[in-house]
């Protein structure tokens, strides 16, 4: 899977790309990540890529021209053009279902916004998918791009050492329930004990306990996932 990232702050990615799972995946050539500095495509002598918004208001808007020129050039690299994704808090919210859909596409071009966003003609011309990673505001799309890349590469075969380790995860493949709590040694710490059932060797009892923990957690923390209304009845809506 190939990623091209367009950013005004490309150095943000260097630490991330050099670490752990992702660097191993890059080394094994399962994943490649190419970071591009948008400023390279400016024709302005001061290397400016932003300007004040028409109509007034706070902040600056990234200009359409360098973005379109940059994307068109990057799309020429590699065997096929990438799926263009614009990271913006006004986009469709990323969830595991969308991640699972995107993993079938071998190349993605991620546009990271800053300031008040891009001139809207970027959207008119490039027709990107617009994606947000949640209902809160970040300073730019860079952290969102990293979150997206990480969620995608976990599903690329061979990237996770243990192929099974994402099967049980909260949210995987239609799994709409949170994961149960895990424990390891020591059995007791500061008076807190590992639940007895996990030491019992009774696999059925352990399975039952974990399932119950998952349901309880999901009820407590993410009632929305259970498709039930607050009084415990199954919700009317089918969506
Ligand atoms: Cl993709 N960008 C920004 N700036 N803020 C966000 C976001 C993206 N997703 C959630 N908040």
């Amino acid at each position: 899977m190939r990623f091209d990232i367009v950013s005004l702050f490309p150095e943000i990615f260097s630490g991330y790309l050099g670490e752990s799972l992702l660097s191993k995946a890059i080394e094994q050539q399962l994943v490649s990540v190419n970071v591009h500095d948008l400023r390279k495509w400016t024709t302005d002598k001061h290397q400016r890529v932003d300007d004040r918004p028409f109509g007034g208001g706070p902040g600056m808007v990234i200009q359409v021209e360098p973005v379109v020129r940059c994307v068109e050039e990057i799309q020429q690299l590699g065997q096929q053009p990438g799926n263009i994704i614009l990271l913006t808090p006004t986009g469709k919210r990323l969830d595991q279902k969308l991640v699972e859909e995107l993993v079938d596409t071998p190349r993605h071009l991620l546009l990271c916004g800053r300031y008040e966003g891009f001139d809207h003609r970027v959207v008119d011309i490039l027709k990107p998918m617009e994606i947000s990673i949640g209902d809160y505001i970040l300073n730019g799309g860079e952290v969102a791009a990293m979150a997206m890349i990480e969620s995608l590469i976990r599903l690329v075969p061979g990237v996770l050492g243990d192929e099974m380790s994402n099967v049980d995860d909260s949210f995987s493949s239609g799994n709409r329930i949170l994961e149960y709590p895990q424990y390891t040694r020591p059995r007791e710490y500061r008076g807190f004990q590992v639940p007895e059932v996990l030491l019992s060797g009774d696999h059925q009892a352990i399975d039952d306990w974990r399932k119950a923990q998952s349901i309880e957690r999901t009820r407590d923390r993410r009632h929305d996932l259970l498709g039930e209304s607050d009084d415990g009845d199954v919700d009317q809506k089918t969506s």
Side-chain angles (χ1 to χ4, degrees), residues 161-175:
D162 176 0
E163 284 288 343
M164 287 304 288
S165 61
N166 67 19
V167 172
D168 268 352
D169 286 357
S170 308
F171 305 119
S172 70
S173 283
N175 194 1

Side-chain angles (χ1 to χ4, degrees), residues 83-87 102 108-111 128-131 148:
N83 171 42
I84 305 173
I85 294 171
L86 193 154
L87 292 152
L102 291 171
H108 299 280
L109 194 163
L110 309 180
L111 291 172
M129 293 182 77
E130 296 178 75
I131 292 181
M148 257 198 87

